[in-house]
């Protein structure tokens, strides 16, 4: 694997990769503050932008992406802790925790009832951040436990997974690779309540995903359909990718992160090995320009093949988590170098000072013709990437 990775070194240039300066731009806190001030009332959340001016489109709270904007001010609070507040970096311009709390208000009703299936894990993110700031916040604890219960209720022991999407035929049990990101809420709730069944469910889901979602070359299918009464696989297909057999880059990125996170949460080496396999496929299939395409098998013509800046920033966070999971600096470096390289390339392509989002060139859903936008989770993972690089000693603030 290391030999394969060495093929990537020319991408990052002869010199050691350097994180882009935009990662620490004062435009980041300025844009988050402006978006906070413009949230519709009653509250709605930004998900993606238009394609011409980069203006946010807002969605009702019962939407799978609603947790990302409220989580973003907490990421800036983390950044303020890491970097301090200076007139130059703009981090002193708001009480970020207060903003995160205020923006979370629209999510609380969802812990009782929502239409988001497995995506309750994403909806729990701001409450997880809140507990990191204030471990005694009962509202946040209750939200995490309720979201975890909703996900656990979707577990089918015959299949060995939590159901991602609801279907008109309940025996058609659909699981998407993205679901790996939602497992973390089960661990948080297991820690809060002492209920280890929640943890067991997450582990079983991840183990079943290893068996059925990953191809021998380390690429992933987007959707696996199981028969809920027999547990057998009915179909392997795509929903948002180029074709059933292609590799949708955001799904691959969720997988890199999801399995590295499983390793962090359990210490089980098979999850580390799985994250490495997915990361190796991702890096070996990047085009020579280093820009993450929306699907690794999407045609190159007509050029340019659309990028997905959100797949790029999610993969960067997955690669940095993988780097932190490795036992030695030598094993970590190829992953963190690759992460910095992807950040450099996507910043050069997609950093948009005049847009409301930080980045352009997001692909929300190419088959639905929704691409060339900013995306709220792409921006969130961009900020997180900067924070991670600082805390890993791989970037300095400014
Ligand atoms: C607890 O967390 C909730 C949800 O994030 C927030 O609305 C509330 O302000 C927090 N309470 C305190 C006392 O910090
Ligand atoms: C633990 O969680 C599982 C899954 O939600 C649930 O079925 C079970 O009743 C819980 N156990 C306790 C003791 O609350
Ligand atoms: C699942 O299997 C049962 C029993 O064989 C069958 O009745 C049902 O139609 C199957 N469902 C799907 C979606 O294939
Ligand atoms: C997808 O791959 C399978 C083997 O993995 C093959 O049987 C099938 O024909 C392929 N489908 C397409 C549309 O390429
Ligand atoms: C990036 O976005 C710009 C416009 O926002 C577009 O012109 C360009 O083709 C996109 N490039 C890729 C590789 O997606």
């Amino acid at each position: 694997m290391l030999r394969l990775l060495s093929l990537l070194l020319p991408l990052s240039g002869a010199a050691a990769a350097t994180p882009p300066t935009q990662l620490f731009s004062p435009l980041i806190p300025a844009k988050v503050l402006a978006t906070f001030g413009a949230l519709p009332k009653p509250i709605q959340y930004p998900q993606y932008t238009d394609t011409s001016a980069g203006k946010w489109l807002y969605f009702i709270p019962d939407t799978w992406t609603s947790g990302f904007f409220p989580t973003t001010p907490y990421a800036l609070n983390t950044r303020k802790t890491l970097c301090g507040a200076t007139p130059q970096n703009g981090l002193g311009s708001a009480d970020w925790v207060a903003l995160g709390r205020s923006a979370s208000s629209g999510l609380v009703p969802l812990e009782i009832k929502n239409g988001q299936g497995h995506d309750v894990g994403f909806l729990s993110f701001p409450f997880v951040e809140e507990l990191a700031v204030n471990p005694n916040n009962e509202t946040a604890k209750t939200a995490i436990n309720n979201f975890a219960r909703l996900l656990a209720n979707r577990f089918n022991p015959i299949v060995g997974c939590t159901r991602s999407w609801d279907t008109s035929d309940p025996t058609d049990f659909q699981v998407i690779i993205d679901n790996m990101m939602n497992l973390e809420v089960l661990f948080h709730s297991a820690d809060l309540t002492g209920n280890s069944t929640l943890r067991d469910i997450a582990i079983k889901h991840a183990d079943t995903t290893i068996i059925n979602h990953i191809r021998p070359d380390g690429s992933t299918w987007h959707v696996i359909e199981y028969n809920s009464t027999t547990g057998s696989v009915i179909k392997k297909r795509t929903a948002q990718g180029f074709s059933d057999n292609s590799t949708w880059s955001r799904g691959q990125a969720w997988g890199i992160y999801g399995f590295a996170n499983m390793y962090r949460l359990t210490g089980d080496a098979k999850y580390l090995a799985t994250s490495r396999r997915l990361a190796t496929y991702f890096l070996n299939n990047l085009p020579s320009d280093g820009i993450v395409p929306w699907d690794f098998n999407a045609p190159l013509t007509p050029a340019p093949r659309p990028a997905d800046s959100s797949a790029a920033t999610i993969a960067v966070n997955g690669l940095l988590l993988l780097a932190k999971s490795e036992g030695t600096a030598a094993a970590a470096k190829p992953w963190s170098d690759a992460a910095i390289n992807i950040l450099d390339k996507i910043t050069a392509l997609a950093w948009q000072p005049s847009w409301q989002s930080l980045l352009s060139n997001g692909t929300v859903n190419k088959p639905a013709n929704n691409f060339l936008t900013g995306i709220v989770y792409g921006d969130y993972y961009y900020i997180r990437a900067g924070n991670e690089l600082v805390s890993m000693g791989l970037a300095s603030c400014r």
Side-chain angles (χ1 to χ4, degrees), residues 3-68:
R3 195 173 313 132
L4 287 175
L5 278 170
S6 68
L7 295 173
L8 292 164
L9 284 179
L11 280 182
S12 40
T18 330
T21 54
Q22 289 92 331
L23 268 181
F24 304 102
S25 165
L27 272 177
I28 294 178
K31 285 187 182 188
V32 172
L33 193 52
T35 301
F36 179 80
L39 291 178
K41 289 186 181 58
I43 199 164
Q44 293 190 20
Y45 296 102
Q47 180 183 174
Y48 54 83
T49 70
D50 66 24
T51 59
S52 52
K55 291 202 184 314
W56 286 120
L57 304 183
Y58 294 94
F59 292 76
I60 57 165
D62 194 0
T63 301
W64 78 272
T65 50
S66 293
F68 290 105

Side-chain angles (χ1 to χ4, degrees), residues 169 171-172 227 229-230 234:
D169 174 357
T171 68
D172 182 7
N227 185 311
T229 61
T230 65
I234 302 169

Side-chain angles (χ1 to χ4, degrees), residues 291-316:
I291 298 290
V292 176
W294 73 277
D295 185 298
F296 286 108
N297 305 101
L300 292 161
T301 53
R305 174 174 63 174
D308 182 9
S309 53
S310 76
T313 62
I314 294 159
V316 163

Side-chain angles (χ1 to χ4, degrees), residues 177-178 220-222 247-256 278 311:
I177 185 69
D178 324 32
T220 49
W221 274 281
H222 185 195
T247 300
W248 176 54
S249 61
R250 191 159 67 238
Q252 190 75 14
W254 291 136
I256 297 169
L278 269 56

Side-chain angles (χ1 to χ4, degrees), residues 13 27 40 77 86 110 158 161 188 207 215 221 248 276 323 339 365 378 384-385:
L27 272 177
N77 181 58
T86 68
L110 299 176
I158 300 169
C161 280
H188 289 299
D207 292 353
R215 304 188 186 100
W221 274 281
W248 176 54
R276 285 181 187 138
N365 186 334
R384 274 265 314 259

